[in-house]
Amino acid sequence: AQSVAQPEDQVNVAEGNPLTVKCTYSVSGNPYLFWYVQYPNRGLQFLLKYITGDNLVKGSYGFEAEFNKSQTSFHLKKPSALVSDSALYFCAVRDPPDSGYALNFGKGTSLLVTP
Amino acid sequence: NAGVTQTPKFQVLKTGQSMTLQCAQDMNHNSMYWYRQDPGMGLRLIYYSASEGTTDKGEVPNGYNVSRLNKREFSLRLESAAPSQTSVYFCASQWGGQGNQPQHFGDGTRLSIL
């Protein structure tokens, strides 16, 4: 079964510092990996995806993610955090076609950026 | 551009009552999904519809039914609500194809069952 794990419930970082939100995956075959962000009382917003190609993927709002096959990781990064980046972040892996390409989500990591 | 629209946004039910959560998308997507979000558990798939006219169970289908009314609309029904179904419910849609496109989410229905 496809799955992802987010080992940190919460990440705290000061504004202007780099941030990393961790994600590891377990799949059979090549993974399709996604990051989403959720602001309070809102739905999930797509940030970026890895399907194939370059291991460094760039996405919305200055976020990027590094795919590492040997470490089975897909960590989300941003060089300089903003207070407005404070939100709940989800890593997800795509199911196979016979499961409708649904997403399997991690439990989420709450990011708090302090001024 | 509305994207994915869910109604209602909030609902309080009593145990045993029934209700239908509505979802509509205007992006001409083939696939639609219902997830539930519970604290500390991420999102879990309830049902999905890979294309108009088909529906399939996800990870947590018990106590729910779905209807893919047409290409735009995918509803979720609770026949006899239970407190364990208190959750935030999200509908999502996706173009389909080879699974390399992101899913688009509505803003959710916050359901409380007393």
Side-chain angles (χ1 to χ4, degrees):
Chain A
Q2 321 283 80
S3 67
V4 292
Q6 295 179 243
E8 302 156 317
D9 291 335
Q10 182 162 325
V11 170
N12 298 318
V13 63
E15 187 174 31
N17 284 358
L19 70 87
T20 298
V21 183
K22 296 179 180 178
C23 174
T24 59
Y25 65 88
S26 175
V27 302
S28 55
N30 295 320
Y32 286 10
L33 295 162
F34 299 78
W35 275 102
Y36 283 84
V37 60
Q38 184 182 32
Y39 297 100
N41 298 316
R42 298 300 302 276
L44 278 68
Q45 297 178 29
F46 169 71
L47 283 178
L48 50 80
K49 65 180 179 180
Y50 174 83
I51 304 299
T52 187
D54 290 341
N55 289 339
L56 186 63
V57 179
K58 295 189 182 296
S60 305
Y61 312 121
F63 284 93
E64 57 190 26
E66 185 173 8
F67 174 74
N68 188 315
K69 188 172 184 178
S70 63
Q71 296 185 7
T72 63
S73 66
F74 188 54
H75 300 332
L76 182 70
K77 301 182 179 185
K78 188 174 183 181
S80 179
L82 300 172
V83 172
S84 57
D85 293 331
S86 298
L88 189 57
Y89 290 81
F90 289 98
C91 180
V93 63
R94 175 66 42 86
D95 266 344
D98 58 357
S99 298
Y101 290 126
L103 292 173
N104 281 307
F105 287 89
K107 294 182 178 182
T109 298
S110 179
L111 174 66
L112 179 62
V113 182
T114 53
Chain B
N1 187 2
V4 179
T5 303
Q6 292 184 236
T7 56
K9 296 188 183 302
F10 303 94
Q11 186 70 48
V12 178
L13 293 178
K14 295 181 179 179
T15 298
Q17 287 185 318
S18 62
M19 81 162 294
T20 300
L21 281 62
Q22 306 287 351
C23 174
Q25 52 92 9
D26 63 1
M27 295 171 283
N28 202 34
H29 285 170
N30 294 318
S31 302
M32 298 186 73
Y33 308 83
W34 277 104
Y35 296 90
R36 60 178 288 174
Q37 181 180 22
D38 301 293
M41 300 187 72
L43 279 75
R44 293 179 291 169
L45 181 68
I46 305 172
Y47 271 92
Y48 67 94
S49 171
S51 61
E52 186 178 357
T54 69
T55 61
D56 284 286
K57 296 178 180 179
E59 179 185 356
V60 289
N62 291 344
Y64 305 96
N65 286 300
V66 291
S67 295
R68 183 74 183 266
L69 305 172
N70 48 55
K71 191 171 186 178
R72 291 186 62 248
E73 299 173 287
F74 187 39
S75 63
L76 178 72
R77 182 163 179 83
L78 287 69
E79 291 290 353
S80 179
S84 61
Q85 294 177 304
T86 293
S87 188
V88 182
Y89 292 85
F90 288 100
C91 177
S93 71
Q94 176 189 304
W95 178 73
Q98 298 179 347
N100 57 2
Q101 297 302 312
Q103 290 183 8
H104 297 257
F105 285 79
D107 281 340
T109 295
R110 285 147 186 82
L111 183 61
S112 181
I113 299 164
L114 307 176

